């Protein structure tokens, strides 16, 4: 049955939280695209994904990954680069982003896993969520939580040079489990977060060199947006906040803690390429403040 990314997907996710995962093969306005929801919405399903008898066992597997990470493996050919778009980039037309409520300033990129590597993370790699609203076809706001790993990585380069990153969608479940929690985890700068995911899944996470920036992407991701954080510019998260020149007043979308988020001025993310698998790639648009979101955010931090 056709599903609409505008409000309907979020409504179905919320209605089925704690229950079934659903794959939509018919997405309104996006032929050849698929949407997956509620993969992490059931604790029992999360346990089964990682060969645990119950969800509370997962923290011990994650602890093993912290102590004995399995370094990512660099490959040359990747599923996520079967199609490469470097001209006339229009993220809106490629990725079926969702909206949560009628007061949202637009459809936002949820489920986009930002990968920060190399000198920008002291030789390690950081994998985390950053809320994004594409204000134009090829650029978006890029919210960074103060004190987070992304903040620690970007700050030394503020107004000095752009910071290259990839936004990975439809990644292996172990990568999602790490992404949702490492923003607040007690891990030092330079940690191998993909290595923790590798141990969790039992084999290395394959990564591939990005086509247009000095960064890496998850090779088995379904879709990747390449680009860089412009450390010299700030953009508003919503047109209304920009018009009134006021931060923290106008709505953005519901936050993971349950309250209605507010729009701010943030870093600017500039897209330089979109790559994706050829055959009907899957986008996993996690809603905020749902069981999906809660399990992603708590399994690791336990």
């Amino acid at each position: 049955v056709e599903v609409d990314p505008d409000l309907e997907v979020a409504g179905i996710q919320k209605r089925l939280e704690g229950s079934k995962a659903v794959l939509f093969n018919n997405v309104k306005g996006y032929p050849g695209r698929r949407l997956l929801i509620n993969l992490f919405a059931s604790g029992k399903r999360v346990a089964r994904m990682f060969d645990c008898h119950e969800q509370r066992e997962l923290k011990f597997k994650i602890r093993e990954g912290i102590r004995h990470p399995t370094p990512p493996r660099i490959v040359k050919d990747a599923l996520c680069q079967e199609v490469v778009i470097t001209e006339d980039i229009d993220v809106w037309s490629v990725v079926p982003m969702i909206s949560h409520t009628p007061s949202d300033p637009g459809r936002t990129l949820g489920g986009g896993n930002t990968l920060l590597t190399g000198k920008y993370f002291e030789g390690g790699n950081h994998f985390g969520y950053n809320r994004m609203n594409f204000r134009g076809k090829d650029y978006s706001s890029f919210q960074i939580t103060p004190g987070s790993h992304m903040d620690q990585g970007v700050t030394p380069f503020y107004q000095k040079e752009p910071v290259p990153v990839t936004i990975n969608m439809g990644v292996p479940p172990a990568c999602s489990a790490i992404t949702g929690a490492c923003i607040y985890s007690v891990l030092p700068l330079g940690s191998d977060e993909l290595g923790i995911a590798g141990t969790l899944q039992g084999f290395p996470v394959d990564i591939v060199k990005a086509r247009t920036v000095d960064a890496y992407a998850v090779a088995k991701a379904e879709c990747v947006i390449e680009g860089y954080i412009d450390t010299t510019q700030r953009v508003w998260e919503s047109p209304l906040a920009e018009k009134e020149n006021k931060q923290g007043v106008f709505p953005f979308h519901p936050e993971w803690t349950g309250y209605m988020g507010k729009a701010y001025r943030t870093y600017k993310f500039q897209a330089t390429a979109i790559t994706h698998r050829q055959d009907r790639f899957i986008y996993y648009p996690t809603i905020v403040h749902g069981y999906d979101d809660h399990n992603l955010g708590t399994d690791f931090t336990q």
Side-chain angles (χ1 to χ4, degrees), residues 100-101 103-104 131 250-255 257-262:
H100 290 72
T101 73
S103 62
D104 289 10
R131 75 182 197 186
F250 300 101
F252 188 71
H253 63 44
E255 284 291 357
T257 45
Y259 61 85
M260 178 58 78
K262 304 300 182 182

Side-chain angles (χ1 to χ4, degrees), residues 245-291:
N245 196 33
K246 291 181 179 179
Q247 298 196 71
V249 175
F250 300 101
F252 188 71
H253 63 44
E255 284 291 357
W256 60 275
T257 45
Y259 61 85
M260 178 58 78
K262 304 300 182 182
Y264 289 84
R265 283 186 69 191
T266 71
Y267 282 102
K268 178 183 178 180
F269 170 79
Q270 178 65 55
T272 56
I274 305 172
T275 71
H276 60 81
R277 62 178 286 176
Q278 178 72 48
D279 181 32
R280 301 187 305 148
F281 77 73
I282 299 171
Y283 175 46
Y284 177 34
T286 4
I287 59 168
V288 287
H289 198 56
Y291 279 27

Side-chain angles (χ1 to χ4, degrees), residues 95-126:
V95 182
M97 293 176 273
I98 70 170
S99 60
H100 290 72
T101 73
S103 62
D104 289 10
R107 284 184 278 159
T108 52
L109 187 74
N113 307 263
T114 306
L115 180 57
L116 183 70
T117 56
K119 72 174 185 178
Y120 303 100
F121 200 62
E122 294 194 354
N125 56 76
H126 166 62

Side-chain angles (χ1 to χ4, degrees), residues 72 112-131 142-145 147-154 163-168 175-197 207 215-218 229 300:
N113 307 263
T114 306
L115 180 57
L116 183 70
T117 56
K119 72 174 185 178
Y120 303 100
F121 200 62
E122 294 194 354
N125 56 76
H126 166 62
F127 211 40
Y129 287 121
N130 299 88
R131 75 182 197 186
F142 191 86
Q143 182 68 265
I144 299 179
T145 302
S148 66
H149 275 171
M150 184 61 67
D151 185 40
Q152 294 173 42
V154 171
V163 176
V165 295
T166 58
I167 313 298
N168 302 259
C175 293
S176 292
I178 300 305
T179 306
C182 277
I183 186 173
Y184 292 118
S185 59
V186 185
L187 291 175
L189 196 67
S191 296
D192 182 4
E193 294 178 13
L194 288 181
I196 300 172
I207 58 175
Y216 285 90
V218 175
I229 301 167
F300 189 103

Side-chain angles (χ1 to χ4, degrees), residues 34 76-85 208 211 218-224 226 274-282:
R34 293 181 287 174
K76 291 184 178 180
D77 298 315
L79 179 75
C80 71
Q81 293 181 345
E82 289 181 334
V83 176
V84 179
I85 303 169
V208 65
R211 293 297 186 90
V218 175
K220 292 182 179 178
E222 299 273 316
C223 179
V224 176
E226 299 181 2
I274 305 172
T275 71
H276 60 81
R277 62 178 286 176
Q278 178 72 48
D279 181 32
R280 301 187 305 148
F281 77 73
I282 299 171

